[in-house]
Amino acid sequence: MQKIGILTGGGDAPGLNAVIRAAVKTAINVYDCEVFGIKDGYDGFLAENGIIPLAMGEVRGILPRGGTILGTANRGNPYARKVIQDGKEVIIDVSDDIVKGIQKLKLDALLVLGGDGTLRIAHELAGKGVPVIGVPKTIDNDIGGTEITFGFDTALNIATEALDRLHSTAESHHRAMVLELMGRDAGFIALQAGVSGGADVILIPEIPFKFESVLSKIRRRAERGSKFSILAVSEGARPIDGTQAFSRSGDEIYVPRLGGIGQTVGEYINGHGFESRVTVLGHLQRGGTPTAFDRSLSSRYGAAAVHLAARGGFDRMVALHCGRITDVSLAEATATPKRVKLDDDAVATARGLGISFGDE
Ligand code: F6P
């Protein structure tokens, strides 16, 4: 193995730089291998100056830094790229140009740090002969084949801190405080932050809710003397007889953007005799320094990805299984996105603690 490339695709997540650093250091120290960074996801292969050498100097000091030194793009699908042709906007497939770019660089491996979409593209590129290795990144923790993605722990800690902070102001003002959290169609952030932050109500996409049930939980608390309530609401949560809330619709390039369910829940509570306020935590969950757990996991993933490349384990993704780093095929990892299981012990724990999922 003489040359490897690294790219970061999709939404950023805390720990990307820690993976890049570990991969570069391992490649140089253990394999005496050259490393190149591809800027802004797959787009870097097509851009002028889109490829940069990554040596020890480039990764110095980046371990605690959020974001990605390589830049990222969550509209960078080479199979569906929007371009202007003859004054008109058209969608074209540039995947063969990407393959040519990789061949021109003579890469022995391409490490792809990404979520569901980016890893699915990596798997398709593997079908065209590209030697890809996936690294599971996302705050949503929704990638199959691994127990945990890097970035999730940091988002969880930020969400928990936000719930802690909402507690004191909720209590002072006797209000119901709604916190809308990210996660797309997976409720891991809201579920685990809700339990860690002592929420009274947790609403997640996997368990459709009834507004009346949410209200009756708040009412029962008030009757028992707790005149405030804390609600952790996943952006993908939906009422039993309704749909998810979107702040922007999707098209061939953009996925629809979830958002607004927290506001709807807050308004319902306000309209039924309890004062409420809504906070949308948004991208604060993705920005800033990774937790120690994410730094460690990212470093282990970065190193393992390079070792896997050296073994020729292409079209595979590094993963965590029973606390140990292992690897799974990208086909398996991208086949079915991970969701909160209804028989998950965290769900049972929450119910046992008296937390309502708004479904009773
Ligand atoms: O997948 C990560 C994530 O942060 C989701 O939780 C969220 O729905 C989405 O990305 C937001 O995407 P964007 O940064 O494009 O607004």
Side-chain angles (χ1 to χ4, degrees):
M1 188 168 71
Q2 289 170 350
K3 267 189 193 177
I4 62 171
I6 305 179
L7 69 81
T8 56
D12 66 350
L16 279 166
N17 285 327
V19 177
I20 296 169
R21 171 181 175 271
V24 169
K25 287 195 163 207
T26 306
I28 295 172
N29 289 336
V30 182
Y31 298 99
D32 194 20
C33 173
E34 256 185 304
V35 188
F36 291 89
I38 322 303
K39 282 157 82 176
D40 302 328
Y42 296 103
D43 285 1
F45 284 114
L46 307 174
E48 226 177 283
N49 307 319
I51 293 157
I52 52 167
L54 290 177
M56 290 296 192
E58 278 72 40
V59 298
R60 193 164 295 134
I62 68 170
L63 176 62
R65 267 170 63 185
T68 160
I69 57 164
L70 294 175
T72 186
N74 53 7
R75 293 172 292 283
N77 183 353
Y79 291 90
R81 198 182 161 89
K82 203 181 260 183
V83 292
I84 307 290
Q85 273 179 3
D86 303 328
K88 268 204 251 149
E89 227 174 45
V90 288
I91 310 288
I92 57 165
D93 177 349
V94 293
S95 57
D96 286 335
D97 300 321
I98 303 276
V99 176
K100 275 186 212 138
I102 294 167
Q103 285 164 347
K104 201 167 131 205
L105 259 181
K106 294 194 168 59
L107 292 180
D108 297 308
L110 175 65
L111 310 193
V112 176
L113 285 46
D116 212 27
T118 309
L119 293 177
R120 204 165 293 135
I121 294 165
H123 177 51
E124 285 183 42
L125 289 174
K128 289 181 183 252
V130 179
V132 294
I133 304 274
V135 183
K137 165 240 68 169
T138 170
I139 64 162
D140 305 336
N141 198 28
D142 62 352
I143 299 177
T146 185
E147 277 158 19
I148 190 158
T149 57
F150 73 86
F152 171 67
D153 184 69
T154 306
L156 173 59
N157 276 277
I158 294 165
T160 303
E161 186 190 342
L163 289 172
D164 286 347
R165 288 178 183 278
L166 288 174
H167 250 103
S168 58
T169 174
E171 203 167 355
S172 310
H173 286 271
H174 316 299
R175 284 172 175 160
M177 300 300 275
V178 177
L179 181 66
E180 184 178 299
L181 294 162
M182 282 186 167
R184 280 194 214 273
D185 296 315
F188 294 103
I189 299 178
L191 172 62
Q192 295 199 25
V195 170
S196 315
D200 306 296
V201 175
I202 297 175
L203 303 181
I204 57 173
E206 295 86 346
I207 307 180
F209 67 92
K210 291 185 239 153
F211 284 103
E212 312 81 61
S213 167
V214 172
L215 190 68
S216 79
K217 172 71 186 174
I218 295 169
R219 191 172 287 135
R220 282 199 307 278
R221 280 177 54 77
E223 282 163 7
R224 285 202 315 262
S226 296
K227 304 224 176 293
F228 72 96
S229 288
I230 301 290
L231 294 85
V233 178
S234 216
E235 62 181 1
R238 67 171 177 88
I240 243 164
D241 50 0
T243 53
Q244 289 179 313
F246 292 96
S247 61
R248 192 194 61 199
S249 55
D251 59 21
E252 306 97 311
I253 301 291
Y254 292 97
V255 292
R257 186 184 294 157
L258 285 159
I261 189 64
Q263 189 62 32
T264 306
V265 170
E267 278 166 17
Y268 181 86
I269 295 168
N270 253 328
H272 289 79
F274 295 94
E275 195 181 2
S276 76
R277 292 288 187 274
V278 178
T279 303
V280 179
L281 198 54
H283 291 79
L284 289 173
Q285 290 157 99
R286 291 214 322 235
T289 191
T291 57
F293 179 88
D294 268 335
R295 293 181 200 190
S296 161
L297 180 67
S298 301
S299 300
R300 293 168 74 199
Y301 275 160
V306 172
H307 295 313
L308 185 59
R311 295 199 301 275
F314 302 121
D315 200 12
R316 299 186 70 75
M317 180 188 85
V318 293
L320 194 76
H321 184 63
C322 298
R324 292 177 68 85
I325 303 285
T326 170
D327 53 87
V328 293
S329 73
L330 273 171
E332 181 189 336
T334 56
T336 319
K338 196 168 63 179
R339 299 286 179 254
V340 172
K341 293 202 179 83
L342 299 189
D343 61 355
D344 191 317
D345 72 273
V347 173
T349 300
R351 290 197 195 277
L353 292 170
I355 298 171
S356 167
F357 286 94
D359 59 338
E360 285 141 15

